[in-house]
Amino acid sequence: MIDKLIEDILEKKNPSVVGLDPTPEIMPDFLKAKYFERMGMSAAAYAGMFLEFNRAVIDAVYEIVPAVKPQIAMYERFGIPGLQAYNATCEYAQGRGLTVIGDIKRGDISSTALAYAAHLGGVIINGEHQDTWSEDAVTVNPYLGTDGIKPFLNQCDAYKKGIFILVRTSNPSSAEIQEQELADGRRLFEAVGDLTEKWGEYLIGGHGYSEVGAVVGATHREQGELLRKRMPHTFFLVPGYGAQGGKADDVAGFFDEKGLGAIISSSRGITAAYKKDPKYGEKDYAQAAADAAVRMREDLAAALNRKGITY
Amino acid sequence: MIDKLIEDILEKKNPSVVGLDPTPEIMPDFLKAKYFERMGMSAAAYAGMFLEFNRAVIDAVYEIVPAVKPQIAMYERFGIPGLQAYNATCEYAQGRGLTVIGDIKRGDISSTALAYAAHLGGVIINGEHQDTWSEDAVTVNPYLGTDGIKPFLNQCDAYKKGIFILVRTSNPSSAEIQEQELADGRRLFEAVGDLTEKWGEYLIGGHGYSEVGAVVGATHREQGELLRKRMPHTFFLVPGYGAQGGKADDVAGFFDEKGLGAIISSSRGITAAYKKDPKYGEKDYAQAAADAAVRMREDLAAALNRKGITY
């Protein structure tokens, strides 16, 4: 995962990822009307419009960004039809050459983590490998420690996939646990960061970064800069940009001197861009997403430029 | 959730829950043959046999135990058909009057946690409530702090559902993070336990326990006993009994003087019991599960008796 992601970041000169987190609120009215008429007021109707919406957004941004990050919860909320739309979204994005980072935040004890690792490695049935999901990387919760991570590492190794460990999340309450001061002087997220760097040490690719990345929120500028130095082989997946308040200059220090080491995620800032500018009608949602993705690329480039970094 | 669970524990004199964690390894050969012939070597074939297996186990144990705990990862591994079997398993168990504890270990920032909370509260479509899942309670990962928990609390309140927060998991590596010593003298799992007790304080039911429980592994006897005193209103869901090494005397101290405060989970010890005693043929798997569930009830009763506790 990591080498392809880096090469696509360099080629597209864009270290950003579009979050595909569809909600009823961001669906255009004409799509709601179409699917409600066809399928009734149902979870399946939402699933249908989510997929049409996502496909149009993917078509509009796939030459601009290197990756997409569907948030599985937004689909899981709508049960089985929702998850079918999640799967189809992942497949469609892979078909467009994008790296698909499934934001699934799974984590469990070893035998159960092995089952979740099917998101990366599929299953073996009668000696034959079959995919049951279509992600290139997934996010993983570290609360259960190494034995809950190992099955994912094995799949990363076997199938050239990646994971991003939750180290320092973007939300306000995350400090309650992640910033607990430890007796040894570290804060908990630093201890988790140290573990993450260690978990990835045997999975380092051609550009010096490992298949084991870290989630580090854009809302923690200083901590992200500290972690960048503390975790030299760990690529950061950075949520919290845009709608949650993170700005390009806040995350510029999350990058190394080549403009690598981080990929910045924006969801509503891209997919709901059509709602924020009266020049767009609701049928222009995909064009508005493409325009917003270009603006984000430019904002990040300008912030990196101010630190003397160009691609 | 919590009051019904407690009343069923008292009525059945049994504080145990059967984990429904189907794997290819525990499926009887005759079921494999039946579904592979019908559906080919496919994820859907496994999903089909998982559901038949679970229904037979549920029919065999529903008068013995108050609850079941399907581990969603075992189904999610097989993609959409697997999750359909998960949903159908939950529905079938609810139909038999069992409390269904979905072991989903979800956790995310607030807006995303709200989407996951559909596991408890369903979705509202055009002003009407629709269920998209069929659990009475779910397990939740605390790493993101209060704002990732609140949406679940709201659903517990609105729909009389429950959650169990991962406080001290049963697996060996869990100490790496959960036993980190904090600068204030607590260990991390104690800090999470304190938060859990606080999260539940406005959701306390008629028996003095709240809708917000805690996952505490049977493999941590002393810590479980300490947490029992530290968290007087928090019911414990206790994995790690049986196959992972926990014994009845290890968990007896997780209960209060009425024999409440904990429900002990066993998965393979019940569902794979037919493989461990040559008196059972593979078609006897449901009977073997019922016999194992009775033995577990007796083992727990004997251990509680040794502490002077009877129902």
Side-chain angles (χ1 to χ4, degrees):
Chain A
M1 182 281 298
I2 191 67
D3 281 347
K4 177 186 186 310
L5 178 65
I6 288 173
E7 282 145 28
D8 289 349
I9 287 170
L10 292 171
E11 191 190 316
K12 292 173 176 168
K13 301 182 192 301
N14 189 2
S16 73
V17 49
V18 173
L20 297 173
D21 308 355
T23 61
E25 294 71 33
I26 70 171
M27 288 299 111
D29 286 337
F30 80 95
L31 272 187
K32 287 185 186 169
K34 173 177 167 185
Y35 282 89
F36 286 151
E37 189 181 345
R38 188 185 292 178
M39 310 176 79
M41 297 279 183
S42 63
Y46 273 117
M49 74 184 86
F50 286 179
L51 181 57
E52 178 171 338
F53 184 92
N54 287 344
R55 282 183 173 151
V57 170
I58 289 165
D59 284 344
V61 302
Y62 80 93
E63 290 180 313
I64 305 163
V65 299
V68 290
K69 180 176 78 65
Q71 166 54 261
I72 199 170
M74 300 305 174
Y75 307 83
E76 192 168 317
R77 160 191 262 173
F78 289 96
I80 300 297
L83 287 164
Q84 287 172 317
Y86 174 81
N87 249 352
T89 295
C90 292
E91 281 168 25
Y92 192 78
Q94 286 184 328
R96 287 297 199 185
L98 293 164
T99 294
V100 175
I101 303 170
D103 198 354
I104 68 173
K105 294 190 177 65
R106 303 303 195 242
D108 212 302
I109 67 168
S110 56
S111 56
T112 311
L114 176 63
Y116 279 132
H119 278 276
L120 299 179
V123 291
I124 308 288
I125 301 181
N126 197 32
E128 287 197 18
H129 175 265
Q130 295 187 18
D131 280 323
T132 48
W133 299 90
S134 298
E135 299 113 330
D136 301 300
V138 294
T139 54
V140 177
N141 188 307
Y143 191 67
L144 289 96
T146 299
D147 63 33
I149 303 298
K150 275 226 172 104
F152 288 99
L153 300 179
N154 294 342
Q155 304 292 51
C156 290
D157 195 18
Y159 297 103
K160 296 267 169 206
K161 302 275 186 162
I163 56 176
F164 292 91
I165 306 287
L166 306 186
V167 171
R168 189 69 189 89
T169 61
S170 56
N171 58 314
S173 304
S174 57
E176 287 171 2
I177 296 189
Q178 296 162 26
E179 286 192 5
Q180 286 284 349
E181 268 190 61
L182 305 184
D184 65 12
R186 296 181 296 175
R187 286 163 293 179
L188 182 67
F189 72 88
E190 294 170 310
V192 175
D194 293 346
L195 282 168
T196 299
E197 178 78 11
K198 201 182 87 193
W199 288 329
E201 67 190 6
Y202 78 101
L203 292 168
I204 295 176
H207 296 271
Y209 285 100
S210 95
E211 298 287 5
V212 182
V215 173
V216 180
T219 47
H220 309 295
R221 179 176 178 154
E222 286 177 25
Q223 294 176 1
E225 292 172 359
L226 279 172
L227 289 172
R228 178 69 285 139
K229 295 191 185 96
R230 193 176 184 113
M231 305 171 71
H233 306 100
T234 305
F235 216 88
F236 295 170
L237 171 63
V238 184
Y241 182 91
Q244 290 181 56
K247 309 236 178 316
D249 286 313
D250 292 329
V251 298
F254 293 29
F255 291 84
D256 66 21
E257 69 286 353
K258 293 178 186 162
L260 297 176
I263 186 161
I264 316 299
S265 176
S266 177
S267 302
R268 280 166 289 171
I270 307 293
T271 53
Y274 78 93
K275 289 188 169 237
K276 284 176 198 149
D277 187 333
K279 85 174 175 202
Y280 298 115
E282 61 165 26
K283 294 205 172 178
D284 306 320
Y285 68 89
Q287 184 59 49
D291 294 346
V294 168
R295 272 199 307 281
M296 182 174 171
R297 181 181 63 192
E298 288 167 358
D299 289 346
L300 290 172
L304 289 174
N305 266 330
R306 287 191 279 280
K307 296 183 75 91
I309 299 166
T310 51
Y311 288 109
Chain B
M1 183 281 298
I2 192 67
D3 281 348
K4 176 186 188 310
L5 178 64
I6 288 173
E7 283 146 28
D8 289 349
I9 287 171
L10 292 172
E11 191 190 315
K12 291 174 176 168
K13 301 181 192 301
N14 188 3
S16 71
V17 49
V18 173
L20 296 173
D21 308 355
T23 62
E25 293 71 35
I26 69 170
M27 289 298 111
D29 285 336
F30 80 95
L31 272 186
K32 287 186 187 169
K34 172 177 168 185
Y35 282 89
F36 285 150
E37 188 179 349
R38 188 186 291 177
M39 310 176 80
M41 297 278 182
S42 63
Y46 274 116
M49 74 184 87
F50 286 179
L51 181 56
E52 178 171 337
F53 183 92
N54 287 345
R55 282 184 175 151
V57 169
I58 289 166
D59 285 343
V61 303
Y62 79 93
E63 291 181 313
I64 304 164
V65 299
V68 291
K69 180 176 78 65
Q71 166 53 261
I72 199 170
M74 299 305 172
Y75 306 83
E76 191 168 317
R77 161 190 262 172
F78 289 96
I80 300 297
L83 287 164
Q84 288 171 316
Y86 173 82
N87 249 351
T89 296
C90 293
E91 281 168 25
Y92 192 78
Q94 286 185 328
R96 286 299 198 184
L98 293 164
T99 294
V100 175
I101 303 170
D103 198 353
I104 67 173
K105 294 189 177 65
R106 303 302 195 242
D108 212 304
I109 67 168
S110 57
S111 56
T112 310
L114 176 63
Y116 278 131
H119 278 275
L120 299 180
V123 292
I124 309 287
I125 301 182
N126 197 34
E128 288 199 16
H129 174 264
Q130 294 187 19
D131 280 323
T132 47
W133 300 91
S134 297
E135 298 112 330
D136 301 299
V138 294
T139 55
V140 176
N141 188 306
Y143 191 68
L144 289 95
T146 299
D147 64 32
I149 303 298
K150 274 225 172 107
F152 289 99
L153 300 180
N154 294 341
Q155 303 293 50
C156 290
D157 195 18
Y159 298 103
K160 295 269 169 204
K161 301 274 185 162
I163 55 176
F164 292 90
I165 307 286
L166 306 187
V167 171
R168 189 70 188 90
T169 60
S170 57
N171 58 314
S173 304
S174 58
E176 286 171 3
I177 295 189
Q178 297 162 25
E179 287 191 6
Q180 286 284 349
E181 269 189 61
L182 305 184
D184 66 12
R186 295 181 297 175
R187 285 163 293 180
L188 182 66
F189 72 88
E190 294 170 310
V192 175
D194 294 346
L195 282 167
T196 299
E197 177 78 11
K198 201 182 88 194
W199 288 328
E201 66 190 8
Y202 78 102
L203 292 168
I204 295 175
H207 296 271
Y209 285 100
S210 96
E211 298 287 5
V212 182
V215 173
V216 180
T219 47
H220 308 296
R221 179 175 178 155
E222 285 177 26
Q223 294 175 2
E225 293 171 359
L226 280 172
L227 289 172
R228 177 69 285 140
K229 296 189 185 97
R230 194 176 184 115
M231 306 170 72
H233 306 99
T234 305
F235 216 88
F236 294 170
L237 171 63
V238 184
Y241 182 90
Q244 288 182 56
K247 307 235 178 316
D249 286 313
D250 292 329
V251 298
F254 293 29
F255 291 84
D256 68 20
E257 68 286 352
K258 294 177 185 161
L260 296 176
I263 186 162
I264 315 301
S265 176
S266 178
S267 302
R268 281 166 288 171
I270 307 292
T271 53
Y274 78 93
K275 288 186 169 242
K276 284 178 198 148
D277 187 333
K279 85 176 176 200
Y280 299 115
E282 62 166 26
K283 296 206 170 176
D284 305 320
Y285 68 90
Q287 184 57 50
D291 294 346
V294 168
R295 271 199 309 280
M296 182 174 170
R297 180 180 64 192
E298 288 167 358
D299 289 346
L300 290 172
L304 289 174
N305 265 331
R306 286 191 280 280
K307 295 181 76 91
I309 300 166
T310 50
Y311 289 108

